[in-house]
Amino acid sequence: MGRVLVTGAAGFIGSHTVEALIRKGAEVCGVDNLRTGHLSNLEEVGSSPQFRFEEADILDGGKLESIAKSFRPDAIVHLAALVSVQESMDDPDLNFRLNVEGSHRIGVLAKELSVRQIVFASSAATYGDTSDLPVVEETAKNSISPYGAAKYASEAIFQGYGRSYGFGACCFRYFNVYGPRQDPKSPYSGVISIFADRYRAGQSVTVFGDGGQTRDFIFVEDIADNNAATALKETPVTGSFNVCTGRPSTLLDIIRVFESHFPGAPRPVFQAARTGDIVHSYGTPAQIQMALGFEARFSIEEGLARLIGSLKE
Ligand code: UD2
């Protein structure tokens, strides 16, 4: 079975990806600088003989290289990043270092170690605000944040380096990912993480706008399974793919599901829509389905039920 290095292993998507790799029988080395990741996210895999953890920064080339050289990965899943769009707006230098220079470093590492495959966490933020729906991979890339721009630049870095040095580079444009362990702390955190936190605490949620806005919410286990399966494929794959369900939900749909799990919860409070907010967003997963056989397994009802179950544990 494969040996996979996962950067950002202690993060939200990283920790689920490590679990998916272990379920599939891989040997996993997880690295994380714990800037936004938490060791507690790795509690479930901590005792697995298939897993080791190293605290390291992707920009610390020497340390990362010595970890990677002793582990000898066949594939790298690169999820370490500055993950907040708002933080990228406030600190574009840090965004550049983590989300562009970091990609370059990982690309060079892949060359040095002759890995077979890189899996990279890109984002639907590469498309920016588009009224051209559903979003397909060819839709214009009109990023409206340093974060989206860096993700798109990194796709070019990974695919160009992959062709130069002979590794596969799969760039996954995640849509709105949700699930257990997503951090609800910032007002710019994913809406479902904020809603989950508030329903659990018996507090009312705030809806910006009329709640009719749509997003293509995808459950984190679908994201993780796809990362793991791609990292473990025998034949390298290169391309950029939407990772989404193709089924948009409105915020009112989401609230309805939460209310069925939290009967008697306070009613939502409506406020003016946020400036710059996108009204409708959803993608089509047709290309990833063709290339990798991916299909989201979790409906929004099932994903939310899992998330709410984890809160009540
Ligand atoms: C994501 C990014 C955002 C920007 C955008 C570009 C995240 C968390 N956000 O925003 O920074 O890059 O993509 O496409 O990655 N909402 C509420 N109540 C709340 C919180 C949010 O009504 O307490 C609304 C929000 O105004 C929006 C919807 O919920 O209409 C979804 O918000 P989101 O931040 O989860 O995701 P999105 O796609 O707007």
Side-chain angles (χ1 to χ4, degrees):
M1 247 303 167
R3 304 173 65 77
V4 184
L5 182 78
V6 179
T7 72
F12 164 49
I13 296 178
S15 61
H16 286 279
T17 298
V18 169
E19 287 172 14
L21 282 163
I22 286 175
R23 278 198 300 272
K24 290 178 195 289
E27 296 284 323
V28 182
C29 175
V31 297
D32 201 299
N33 65 358
L34 305 179
R35 193 181 83 91
T36 50
H38 303 283
L39 279 180
S40 56
N41 287 343
L42 291 167
E43 257 160 27
E44 270 183 40
V45 290
S47 56
S48 166
Q50 290 161 253
F51 180 66
R52 72 176 82 163
F53 177 77
E54 302 278 357
E55 187 174 336
D57 194 300
I58 51 165
L59 297 178
D60 182 347
K63 186 167 184 190
L64 195 65
E65 194 174 319
S66 84
I67 291 166
K69 281 199 167 144
S70 85
F71 180 65
R72 292 176 290 102
D74 305 305
I76 300 175
V77 181
H78 179 43
L79 307 173
L82 180 153
V83 296
S84 159
V85 173
Q86 188 57 40
E87 193 179 7
S88 83
M89 301 286 273
D90 299 340
D91 193 346
D93 283 329
L94 183 62
N95 175 68
F96 180 83
R97 286 200 298 282
L98 295 179
N99 290 357
V100 182
E101 187 188 335
S103 301
H104 158 74
R105 298 270 175 125
I106 297 296
V108 171
L109 192 66
K111 163 192 179 276
E112 311 265 288
L113 299 168
S114 304
V115 306
R116 180 184 65 233
Q117 181 73 50
I118 282 201
V119 173
F120 170 62
S122 187
S123 170
T126 54
Y127 298 112
D129 188 0
T130 177
S131 50
D132 221 354
L133 296 171
V135 172
V136 295
E137 281 77 354
E138 293 74 23
T139 298
K141 309 307 174 294
N142 294 326
S143 311
I144 47 173
S145 64
Y147 175 85
K151 288 292 181 184
Y152 194 43
S154 292
E155 291 189 12
I157 288 174
F158 283 122
Q159 292 175 9
Y161 290 19
R163 283 186 291 270
S164 308
Y165 303 121
F167 54 83
C170 253
C171 303
F172 291 132
R173 295 180 187 147
Y174 306 145
F175 279 62
N176 291 66
V177 187
Y178 70 97
R181 301 183 209 136
Q182 190 173 28
D183 188 358
K185 297 275 147 41
S186 141
Y188 297 98
S189 293
V191 64
I192 290 181
S193 71
I194 297 174
F195 281 13
D197 203 43
R198 298 192 70 84
Y199 276 105
R200 181 180 54 172
Q203 297 166 336
S204 60
V205 299
T206 302
V207 175
F208 300 116
D210 64 5
Q213 63 265 55
T214 53
R215 293 293 183 274
D216 194 329
F217 293 105
I218 180 160
F219 190 56
V220 66
E221 280 187 34
D222 279 322
I223 295 280
D225 280 343
N226 174 58
N227 286 341
T230 308
L232 296 175
K233 274 180 83 72
E234 295 284 330
T235 30
V237 189
T238 292
S240 293
F241 301 100
N242 288 346
V243 191
C244 57
T245 68
R247 297 183 295 271
S249 306
T250 66
L251 287 192
L252 297 179
D253 293 333
I254 302 295
I255 286 169
R256 219 169 289 125
V257 179
F258 271 109
E259 286 181 341
S260 72
H261 288 270
F262 293 95
R267 295 291 302 155
V269 174
F270 290 81
Q271 286 189 10
R274 284 175 166 170
T275 37
D277 208 3
I278 292 170
V279 182
H280 297 296
S281 161
Y282 66 101
T284 166
Q287 292 195 23
I288 192 171
Q289 207 169 344
M290 286 265 285
L292 295 169
F294 170 83
E295 195 157 3
R297 287 187 299 134
F298 291 88
S299 66
I300 188 74
E301 291 79 10
E302 288 164 333
L304 287 175
R306 289 274 187 122
L307 167 61
I308 292 163
S310 80
L311 299 176
K312 291 180 173 171
E313 260 169 28

